[in-house]
Amino acid sequence: MSYDFKNIEKKWQKYWDEHHTFEVTEDNNFPEDKRLYILDMFPYPSGEGLHVGHPEGYIATDILTHYYKMKGYNILNPMGWDAFGLPAENYAIKTKTHPAITTAKNIGVFKKQIKSLGLAYDWSREINTTDPDYYKWTQWIFLKLFEKGLAYKKEAPINFCPSCLTGIANEEVKEGKCERCGTVVIRKNLPQWLLKITVYAERLLSDLELLDWPEDIKTMQQNWIGKSEGAYINFDIENFNDRIEVFTTRPDTIYGVTYMVLAPEHPLVDKITTSKQKKEIENYKHYTSTKSELERTSLIKDKTGAFTGSYVIHPLTKKKIPIWISDYILISYGTGAIMAVPGHDQRDLEFAQKYNLDIVQVVSPQKGVIFEKSNEAFIEEGFAVNSGKYDGLTTGEFIREIIKYFEENKIGKLGITYKLRDWIFSRQRYWGEPIPIVECKNCGHVPIPESDLPLKLPEVTSFSPTETGESPLANAKEWVKTTCPKCGGPALRETNTMPNWAGSCWYYLRYIDPKNKTSLCAMEKQKYWLPVDIYVGGKEHAVLHLLYARFWHKFLYDIGCVSTTEPFIKLRNQGLILGEDNQKMSKSRGNVVNPDDIVSEFGADTFRIYEMFMGPLEVSKPWNTNSIKGMRRFLERIFTLFTQTKIVKSSVIDDKLERLMHKSIQKVSADIESISSFNTAISQMMIFLNELENYEEIPEIVAINFIKLIAPFAPHIAEELWSILMSKNSIFNEPWPDWNDDKLQQKEVTIAVQVNGKLRGQVNVTTETSEKEIIEIAKSNEKIKKYISDRQIIKTIYVPKKILNILIGG
Ligand SMILES: [Zn+2]
Ligand SMILES: [Zn+2]
């Protein structure tokens, strides 16, 4: 019988489907500690289909699912589609095909591809974020956010592509250019919906401690949230009643302030600019408006700015300090103004050097050390110098003292700030969830009643964005015109849509209760499954999806919709699968490998084993088609071994084989549980196979355990061998084998050694030492050696684990 993978794989995929093998229910026979929620980051169903990088994480979670199912757990492992997004919309603009049609087609392709890999998803729970029955609840959550004051509309500067005529997200700006067309992105003020994620900054930060996530992802979230402690300080403006408020983490450098900088958009700029400086300031503001935030804050860029002509009064020295504007200060960060300390801040230093402003040293690494002029600012902590009565204090002491002084004199106060900003939540796009709000002249922004949800996308004739930067929904005039739910007067619907991150903020909840018509997810079902125990996906979502989803989850917790404070307890990232040339796979490099080709040539089991054998899950690794052939041979050898070798019901197992079996059970179990070392589990199975191939008969228990161990990795071949050997269906209903620690060590035995029938000594060996090795050990034993001397050995007789008799000539 040869390994006919094509028929075997088709047969078992059909069997699993027909028998609903991987569908789960909230079965209370499983105790609470035997319920696991294992989740993959769901894909965007692009027109290009699955790429070999996608299934890497899916295969890993599939192995975990099979393993824990055999260990007696109830496992939820669902799959769905994150289907709103740009590519379908761009395709619609080009071809006039409705994005819903393209999306449905792409989902069909993805699903077929995923099924061809034999992944054990519970397809009865499949979700699609573009399905109105799904986005009804995305809109519902938005209404709740609005009701609690966490969603608001205001004019905010956004990234705008002058060629695509639309606003785009920060993450869609690559090196200052539009990711779609390469045009330089400008800043444009448009009325936007924002979500107050900032209200959750502290909890999003401190609850990271509760999570078993890779450290680098936690650090990225910490940095993104960017908490800093320091002081707010007010500077009086000379000849005006206004004050400029700044925030600084280093109030101890107050004596080093030699100029102030406002963001060009700061509301005081026009007021305080002197008539002499007006033209220069206007020109500079115009110049800045064409730049993206990323460009403005780039550390390497040349510093630019303009002087307003006005001054503030230093609160301690009472000196006049000039007020400048510069694009390296963002209005959206902090107070939109800084006190510049060029002696101790690199950007301030570069600016001061360029515009010939004073540079004063106020911190020294050791008491009293004064620097020469330098191109590098001293940014460390140290001891105060040139700071009046504070000279000699350490940075920490100085900060405490000066904040006290500020507070007593109403100059400033202790403050905490976060880099995190409110989430710009509207897009001028067609293919997104409509925002369920109307605008009424009398009542302002009014939410539509919950009973009107889902608010479906209207049909439009053009999916293209409009010249004015409005969403294509604005063209659906009949849809836009509505009545105000509050006063009954005429009102207009919101025409912006939600960003493509909205649907993925809560999808893991819907899998738990996908068909619920009355709530987004019933509490009793959530209590059965939540939180997600193991979440596997790519690193690129570190501060986007993973932060947004935590925010929504915390909000849902606050309004009593979920029962846990965090959505995902354990997170693991899979590494990238690179092309054979060690470069990132991309169409333009021509190094993309299509999983369909691999599956049809080598089989799904080979593909699965190969991807897991490439290296630890989390590292990036290059594809290699030659290695995949080795994996195929490995599976062929397994198939041949168990279909052609005699399997015996004997209870006697060779010590060496028994120990190898226990060792393999232990290692494969531990490697699977590590969610990383799937590769070394496979290596262990290769060692196990190599040994088994030396036997003419295989004890049944060894065969059973071998097939069970390989089953999570290569489920089709395992099912086939199981049905052949055991005449039973689905190995996944069988228990995972246990190992015995006592069987992991080699057993020692003492062998009596006779020479010509007379006892001459003994040797200590293990039960796995071969006869040949024992003869050599006996021959080199001091006691025995002298009886053999240089005489010829005629014959040896070995009674295993007992006696070795050496017959020598006269
Ligand atoms: Zn563009
Ligand atoms: Zn009204």
Side-chain angles (χ1 to χ4, degrees), residues 161 163-164 178 180-183:
C161 173
S163 160
C164 301
C178 169
R180 283 164 76 186
C181 69
T183 307

Side-chain angles (χ1 to χ4, degrees), residues 440 442-443 484 486-487:
C440 167
N442 299 320
C443 317
C484 170
K486 209 165 161 187
C487 71

Side-chain angles (χ1 to χ4, degrees), residues 511-769:
Y511 284 137
I512 292 173
D513 197 4
K515 296 180 179 78
N516 194 327
K517 295 233 181 269
T518 57
S519 80
L520 63 87
C521 179
M523 190 53 91
E524 59 189 281
K525 291 191 179 184
Q526 276 185 42
K527 282 189 174 148
Y528 192 95
W529 293 115
L530 276 191
V532 173
D533 297 282
I534 301 170
Y535 194 21
V536 175
K539 262 193 200 318
E540 65 275 19
H541 298 294
V543 289
L544 300 165
H545 158 63
L546 287 171
L547 193 67
Y548 297 154
R550 290 184 64 218
F551 160 43
W552 276 35
H553 191 92
K554 286 184 183 306
F555 169 69
L556 291 171
Y557 176 79
D558 289 351
I559 62 168
C561 279
V562 297
S563 53
T564 63
T565 56
E566 283 286 335
F568 319 118
I569 293 303
K570 186 181 283 196
L571 173 74
R572 294 295 179 266
N573 299 124
Q574 81 268 16
L576 280 182
I577 292 192
L578 305 169
E580 297 219 38
D581 53 1
N582 233 331
Q583 300 290 314
K584 203 170 162 180
M585 280 192 192
S586 77
K587 245 190 185 171
S588 57
R589 288 198 181 90
N591 60 354
V592 176
V593 182
N594 185 334
D596 294 355
D597 299 341
I598 304 296
V599 169
S600 88
E601 189 176 351
F602 299 99
D605 282 340
T606 299
F607 178 79
R608 295 168 57 112
I609 292 237
Y610 172 64
E611 284 221 338
M612 292 299 101
F613 190 64
M614 289 172 81
L617 183 67
E618 65 281 6
V619 306
S620 293
K621 47 239 159 186
W623 185 268
N624 183 312
T625 302
N626 272 327
S627 311
I628 206 168
K629 289 176 189 154
M631 289 300 119
R632 173 58 191 281
R633 277 195 294 278
F634 171 57
L635 292 182
E636 276 167 5
R637 282 166 56 203
I638 292 175
F639 193 81
T640 306
L641 180 78
F642 291 104
T643 50
Q644 294 180 8
T645 312
K646 195 169 166 200
I647 311 291
V648 290
K649 286 210 188 291
S650 147
S651 59
V652 185
I653 314 176
D654 180 311
D655 279 345
K656 187 175 178 190
L657 187 56
E658 188 179 39
R659 189 172 61 86
L660 179 59
M661 180 180 81
H662 284 277
K663 170 79 192 156
S664 300
I665 299 170
Q666 182 216 30
K667 176 133 183 72
V668 171
S669 306
D671 285 348
I672 291 175
E673 288 185 21
S674 75
I675 324 179
S676 164
S677 312
F678 300 103
N679 57 327
T680 56
I682 295 166
S683 304
Q684 182 65 31
M685 294 308 287
M686 290 173 172
I687 295 169
F688 198 177
L689 177 70
N690 287 345
E691 181 63 20
L692 279 180
E693 284 176 333
N694 297 327
Y695 290 77
E696 274 160 22
E697 294 179 337
I698 298 173
E700 191 183 64
I701 184 66
V702 178
I704 287 174
N705 286 341
F706 186 98
I707 297 167
K708 284 182 177 176
L709 293 185
I710 204 75
F713 298 87
H716 310 87
I717 195 173
E719 290 276 37
E720 182 69 11
L721 291 172
W722 189 251
S723 73
I724 294 170
L725 296 185
M726 309 305 293
S727 306
K728 279 206 273 186
N729 281 331
S730 204
I731 193 166
F732 299 112
N733 296 323
E734 303 293 327
W736 187 256
D738 284 325
W739 74 89
N740 181 342
D741 280 328
D742 297 338
K743 304 272 187 192
L744 295 176
Q745 302 304 322
Q746 294 196 19
K747 276 185 233 147
E748 296 226 334
V749 287
T750 302
I751 310 285
V753 182
Q754 297 177 339
V755 178
N756 284 352
K758 280 186 189 138
L759 183 67
R760 297 300 187 191
Q762 57 187 37
V763 293
N764 292 320
V765 295
T766 78
T767 53
E768 292 170 31
T769 316

